[in-house]
Amino acid sequence: MMGLSDGYTLANGVKIPCVGLGTWKGDWNQPDNGVVSHAVQAAIEAGFRHIDTAASYRTEEGVGRGIRESGIPRSEVFVTTKLWNDVRGYQPTIDAFHKSMKSLGLDYLDLYLIHWPNPVAFRDHWQENNAETWRAFEDLYKAGDIRAIGVSNFRPHHLAELARTATVSPMVNQLPVSPGCILSETIKYSRAHNMAIEGYSPFGTGSALKLPEVEGLSKKYGRTAAQICLRWSIQMGVIPLPKSITPSRILENTGVFDFELSAEDVDILTNLHDGADTPVEPDTSNF
């Protein structure tokens, strides 16, 4: 990867940029105060062409406004949003999608994800509910409303269950990926089934930046800890989604294409087993 506009080709031929701006908690309590829209504009000015949001983040409106106010053509920005845990089933999913599109103010979506495989509200029948939800995803995709569809936080058994009834396979699995937090078996399974891997919380919600190994490599390469984490993700073939609302940090996160970690240093960060975030287990979470 040579820059932010480079990327991967999904299983259906759609291009996805190699780094995206995350917007989780970017505007959590005040969705209309302009924080997210300004961050999106700063990201686009810095070269980002990939923005990630979700219904549960309450940032869809700010993301859409930021894209419009940036002045660049809609076709140049890859936009993702996600279906939250309070919605499952065919028609509720269709309705939730249109609600998100209204919030975003967009005519089409680049990527739509099921945010969570086994919400507590649907835990007794998650398989059937996911199947009906995915059927709605497939129909929206076939109608041209969405360019690509996928999942988030799905482990191999969730993916295998979804495959029993799916006619279109997920093109993306979005997972927590940072030094000290990597779901190796899930990534291996997902890639074997032609899914690209997006990595949310690439800094481990801050904990990875303080790891001695990351700090050591920061000094070795003369780069910030954040840049080390992002460069590691890129070399792992993962699409990182760093979140920031600070223009200077957004710009800092673009400085990851003019250096390369050695294979040995990539292995050091890949094989860390503690010190960073522990992934939430989808089948036992309380949300």
Side-chain angles (χ1 to χ4, degrees), residues 1-8 15-19 47-49 257:
M1 299 300 169
M2 301 299 292
L4 289 169
S5 59
D6 294 324
Y8 302 92
K15 305 287 187 180
I16 183 170
C18 62
V19 181
F48 279 82
R49 293 297 181 267
F257 298 100

Side-chain angles (χ1 to χ4, degrees), residues 63-260:
V63 165
R65 186 165 66 251
I67 292 170
R68 290 189 296 275
E69 293 178 355
S70 74
I72 69 166
R74 161 69 183 97
S75 60
E76 293 186 14
V77 186
F78 190 99
V79 182
T80 301
T81 194
K82 311 177 193 75
L83 179 79
W84 185 233
N85 295 358
D86 55 353
V87 179
R88 283 297 184 274
Y90 184 86
Q91 192 58 48
T93 296
I94 299 289
D95 294 342
F97 168 77
H98 288 298
K99 182 178 180 181
S100 284
M101 294 303 289
K102 183 177 180 180
S103 296
L104 286 162
L106 301 178
D107 294 328
Y108 68 91
L109 189 65
D110 295 286
L111 177 63
Y112 199 34
L113 305 178
I114 300 179
H115 205 151
W116 203 252
N118 193 357
V120 67
F122 299 97
R123 189 145 292 164
D124 292 340
H125 303 287
W126 64 267
Q127 299 94 331
E128 296 89 338
N129 281 294
N130 281 351
E132 280 299 287
T133 297
W134 191 251
R135 186 167 69 88
F137 270 52
E138 291 179 337
D139 284 354
L140 290 164
Y141 170 68
K142 292 172 183 176
D145 295 318
I146 310 169
R147 298 177 66 224
I149 52 178
V151 296
S152 181
N153 296 297
F154 275 53
R155 306 301 195 259
H157 65 285
H158 304 123
L159 294 168
E161 188 63 38
L162 195 67
R164 292 179 62 238
T165 56
T167 63
V168 178
S169 297
M171 297 143 199
V172 170
N173 194 2
Q174 188 178 119
L175 301 164
V177 181
S178 63
C181 175
I182 182 166
L183 298 165
S184 300
E185 290 304 313
T186 298
I187 290 175
K188 181 179 179 181
Y189 185 96
S190 299
R191 285 177 167 160
H193 292 80
N194 299 314
M195 296 173 218
I197 304 299
E198 292 187 317
Y200 69 81
S201 296
F203 308 138
T205 61
S207 61
L209 302 178
K210 302 172 185 176
L211 292 171
E213 295 83 356
V214 172
E215 291 180 339
L217 293 179
S218 176
K219 293 177 182 177
K220 175 180 177 179
Y221 289 92
R223 300 289 176 150
T224 66
Q227 289 171 333
I228 295 295
C229 290
L230 294 177
R231 184 65 207 180
W232 170 79
S233 290
I234 290 168
Q235 290 183 226
M236 290 288 289
V238 171
I239 301 166
L241 304 169
K243 174 262 174 181
S244 181
I245 59 174
T246 306
S248 61
R249 290 181 180 173
I250 290 171
L251 185 60
E252 174 189 311
N253 291 340
T254 69
V256 294
F257 298 100
D258 59 348
F259 77 104
E260 185 172 333

